[in-house]
Amino acid sequence: MKKLSILGLLILAVTIISCGGTTGSSDVTGDVADVSTTSSTATGDFTPSLTTAAEDSGALKFTVSAMDVDGDGTLESPTITSVTATTGAGAALKKATSLDDEEITCDSGRTVGEGDDNDSFDIGISLDSTASMGSAVESIAEKIVSFAQTLEDSGVDARFAGITLGDAFATKSDNSSFTDAISSGPLGTPPSFDSSERPSTGSTVLTSADMQTFFQEVADVVGTGAGGADLPENYLGSLEYLNDSVSWRDGAARVLISIGDDCAHTPDTYQGAGITTDWIPPAGADLAAALAGVATVHVIGESSCSTSYYAMDGIADATGGSFTEFDCYSSTSCNVDLESLPITSAITEGRVYNCDGSEAVYGETGTYTLTIGFTVEASN
C-alpha cells in the first residue's frame, strides 16, 4: 500500500500573558498564564484542527484532531514535526538572547485519552430540523444523545453545544413548545421568513447529560421536522453563529458537526428566502477560512449542489473533517450514526503533544507567532 506524505504549516498568532519576570528583559521567568489563538492562516493541502493551551508547568500543549486526508473516510493522525516561536512587538522569550526565532522542542505525542488526565474536546452540533428531514430529525436527535454518552464513556473530557436550524436558527417562541431547561432562543422569537422554533443551547458548553436533554427535547417536539419553505437551508450561518457565540473552553480541541439534507444558502441567495439581519449567511469560502485551524468540521449533507448554493463538503475539506452523503429519510434506514462514522474516531484518534516542559516559553505580555509544521501519512 502506497503512503502519501502530506506536508503543511499552521501559523498561529498567540497572545502571552506572563506572571513574574522582569519587564524589558529578554531572560524572562515566570508562568505562562494564558495562551489563546487570535488568528490563523495555513498553507498546504489541508488544515488540521489544532488548539493550544498552557500547562501549569509553563509548557505549551497542542491537541491535533485526526483527519480524513484523502476523502475515503479513513482518519489519519497528524504528526507535529517542528514548532518555531517568533516574537512580536513587546514580547520576549525565556533564554532568548534577542528577538529572533526560538526553536521549541515537542515530545513524540500520544493518542487522545492516554494521558494522566482526560483530554478536553468541545463539540458543537448543528442539526437541520425542517420538514424535508422527515422522521430523520427524531432519529438523528436520538443518535446524538447516544453519541454524547459514548464520548463521555470513552474517558474524553467532552463538553457540548447544539443548535437547530432552517432558514433561521437560535430562536424560541414566547409560548414555546420547548419546555426543557436547556433550550434557548438567543436571537429572539422566530422571524417571519422561518416561523418554526429553532432553539439552541445558548452560550455555555454543556455536560453530556444536558446535551442529551436538549436533543431529546428536539426529538420529542420536532419529531418529523417543522417548516422550511425552500430547499436550501442556513447551514453556513448556523455554523458561524455556533462558532462565534459559544464560550468554548481554553485549550479544548474544537469539533463542529453539521447535519442536514440539502445545500446551503449563500450571500447570493439568502434574499430570495427573505433572510434578514442576524441570520444572513457568510460566504462558504470565508467561513472555511475562519474555521481552518480553529475547528475540525464534520459534515453529513449534500454534495451535489448547483452553482447558486454551497455544498457543505467544502467546509469539511477545508478543516480536515470527514464528509458523509446524507441518507436518512426513514427511522428504519439511516446512515447518520455518529458513533460508527469517522467522527468519533477523529476525536479519540487525535494526537496530543507537550512542548518544552522544562524549557518552557515564558514571555512578557505581548504577541509571538508559532509556526507549526505537520505531516500526515495517508493511504493512497
Side-chain angles (χ1 to χ4, degrees):
M1 181 177 290
K2 182 180 178 181
K3 290 288 186 178
L4 174 66
S5 181
I6 309 288
L7 302 175
L9 293 175
L10 183 63
I11 303 173
L12 304 175
V14 179
T15 299
I16 294 295
I17 303 172
S18 68
C19 304
T22 304
T23 302
S25 171
S26 61
D27 187 19
V28 177
T29 60
D31 293 329
V32 177
D34 181 64
V35 177
S36 59
T37 303
T38 56
S39 64
S40 66
T41 58
T43 58
D45 294 318
F46 59 90
T47 304
S49 169
L50 186 148
T51 56
T52 62
E55 299 287 83
D56 291 339
S57 64
L60 293 176
K61 176 181 178 182
F62 302 93
T63 302
V64 190
S65 295
M67 292 168 290
D68 184 3
V69 177
D70 50 17
D72 67 351
T74 302
L75 274 293
E76 309 289 347
S77 296
T79 299
I80 289 180
T81 55
S82 64
V83 181
T84 302
T86 306
T87 58
L93 299 177
K94 180 184 178 182
K95 299 188 182 300
T97 57
S98 65
L99 298 185
D100 295 326
D101 290 356
E102 178 80 353
E103 189 73 20
I104 304 171
T105 302
C106 301
D107 62 21
S108 59
R110 59 173 175 78
T111 302
V112 166
E114 293 184 353
D116 295 332
D117 299 314
N118 291 340
D119 295 310
S120 299
F121 283 82
D122 286 349
I123 299 158
I125 300 178
S126 172
L127 176 64
D128 182 345
S129 60
T130 61
S132 67
M133 294 280 285
S135 58
V137 175
E138 181 176 6
S139 177
I140 295 171
E142 291 172 350
K143 290 176 184 294
I144 293 171
V145 169
S146 179
F147 168 71
Q149 186 62 54
T150 296
L151 278 183
E152 183 174 84
D153 293 344
S154 72
V156 172
D157 174 21
R159 291 293 182 270
F160 301 88
I163 192 167
T164 56
L165 71 116
D167 283 339
F169 45 82
T171 62
K172 189 174 177 180
S173 299
D174 293 334
N175 186 22
S176 178
S177 298
F178 290 83
T179 58
D180 64 295
I182 307 300
S183 301
S184 66
L187 295 183
T189 58
S192 59
F193 63 84
D194 187 359
S195 59
S196 298
E197 294 182 273
R198 314 287 184 195
S200 73
T201 59
S203 62
T204 304
V205 290
L206 308 176
T207 64
S208 63
D210 285 342
M211 186 69 160
Q212 291 176 59
T213 295
F214 174 74
F215 275 106
Q216 189 58 60
E217 186 79 346
V218 171
D220 294 342
V221 174
V222 178
T224 58
D230 60 340
L231 291 177
E233 304 300 348
N234 205 344
Y235 304 126
L236 295 171
S238 65
L239 269 188
E240 179 183 57
Y241 178 81
L242 190 64
N243 187 62
D244 292 347
S245 66
V246 174
S247 297
W248 306 103
R249 294 177 296 171
D250 291 339
R254 194 176 310 170
V255 177
L256 303 180
I257 302 169
S258 175
I259 306 173
D261 66 340
D262 220 298
C263 304
H265 272 301
T266 72
D268 295 326
T269 66
Y270 74 86
Q271 298 97 329
I275 298 173
T276 60
T277 58
D278 293 324
W279 300 280
I280 295 174
D286 291 343
L287 181 59
L291 292 174
V294 174
T296 299
V297 183
H298 300 281
V299 176
I300 303 168
E302 174 63 57
S303 61
S304 299
C305 298
S306 71
T307 55
S308 299
Y309 303 110
Y310 185 79
M312 291 295 290
D313 56 344
I315 298 289
D317 290 344
T319 61
S322 63
F323 175 78
T324 303
E325 200 78 36
F326 185 93
D327 185 11
C328 185
Y329 291 101
S330 74
S331 57
T332 57
S333 177
C334 181
N335 73 332
V336 183
D337 188 341
L338 302 185
E339 296 173 73
S340 62
L341 289 173
I343 297 170
T344 300
S345 56
I347 297 169
T348 58
E349 294 176 19
R351 300 286 291 173
V352 180
Y353 298 85
N354 287 280
C355 307
D356 286 338
S358 60
E359 298 293 330
V361 179
Y362 299 124
E364 299 172 31
T365 300
T367 300
Y368 70 90
T369 298
L370 291 178
T371 303
I372 300 157
F374 58 88
T375 63
V376 172
E377 285 194 337
S379 301
N380 188 26

